[in-house]
Amino acid sequence: MTIFLIILGSLLFAGSMASLVWRISIAPALSYLGLLTIGLTTRNGYPLLPVNTVILTTWFCMTLVVTLAVMLQPPAVRAQTRGVGYIVTGALAGLALSLLATSFSSSVSILYTVMVISVIIGIFLGFLLYTRTPEGRPVQPGSGNFLRYLLAKGFPTAITVMQAGVVLVLTVAVNRL
């Protein structure tokens, strides 16, 4: 059952990353289900990762807020996918770079903080890179649409990628001890 839950959680995370590009409204929910699945996984009666109820409750509330925010957006903004590839790539690059923090700290708090900050910086830089393309000119800084579009697409991306990052950080922390 442990292997099945790990595979299911991994598939839910993969599905959430893919849905960021096509159906951003369900991506945070899929990512939370992946976190919940991994959190419920046990080995010999003990949790595989220390995902406690505080972590699950906090991310559930954030998932609800971001899903509601996406649903309240105008349909035209919700359906828009321009620049999302840059944002998702930046977020995943930030997540990958955050794992380098394990080389200078073994504190879970520091690893978690570095992961959150790296994902946010990756999203911002990915979107900034997109605004430098001809297709991204309408949402470049100073256009009045930069911050709105960044929040409309970056907020759900951040929550989705950070939930996967929680599992990665906890996995690295548990396996280092």
Side-chain angles (χ1 to χ4, degrees):
M1 188 67 164
T2 301
I3 293 174
F4 172 75
L5 289 175
I6 291 171
I7 292 171
L8 179 63
S10 300
L11 288 174
L12 285 168
F13 281 128
S16 70
M17 298 305 156
S19 67
L20 279 171
V21 178
W22 295 288
R23 287 280 310 250
I24 201 164
S25 59
I26 63 168
L30 284 175
S31 188
Y32 178 76
L33 289 174
L35 177 64
L36 183 64
T37 303
I38 297 294
L40 295 176
T41 304
T42 59
R43 179 178 30 183
N44 299 328
Y46 296 102
L48 190 64
L49 292 177
V51 180
N52 59 27
T53 55
V54 173
I55 293 173
L56 291 175
T57 304
T58 303
W59 285 106
F60 178 72
C61 292
M62 285 190 259
T63 300
L64 283 180
V65 167
V66 76
T67 303
L68 182 63
V70 169
M71 292 300 185
L72 291 176
Q73 293 173 358
V77 173
R78 212 175 329 144
Q80 186 62 252
T81 59
R82 66 179 180 188
V84 175
Y86 286 87
I87 293 171
V88 172
T89 303
L92 293 174
L95 178 61
L97 287 175
S98 73
L99 295 178
L100 294 175
T102 59
S103 64
F104 66 83
S105 176
S106 61
S107 168
V108 176
S109 301
I110 291 176
L111 295 175
Y112 189 76
T113 303
V114 169
M115 182 267 302
V116 169
I117 291 170
S118 297
V119 168
I120 291 171
I121 290 171
I123 288 170
F124 180 77
L125 292 177
F127 187 62
L128 197 60
L129 181 64
Y130 169 70
T131 62
R132 301 293 182 221
T133 65
E135 186 182 291
R137 296 232 188 269
V139 290
Q140 68 183 0
S143 68
N145 296 322
F146 178 78
L147 190 60
R148 282 186 283 179
Y149 197 76
L150 177 62
L151 291 175
K153 301 302 178 186
F155 187 41
T157 303
I159 298 300
T160 302
V161 173
M162 285 179 200
Q163 288 178 13
V166 168
V167 172
L168 287 175
V169 165
L170 290 174
T171 301
V172 167
V174 165
N175 290 323
R176 280 189 84 191
L177 300 176

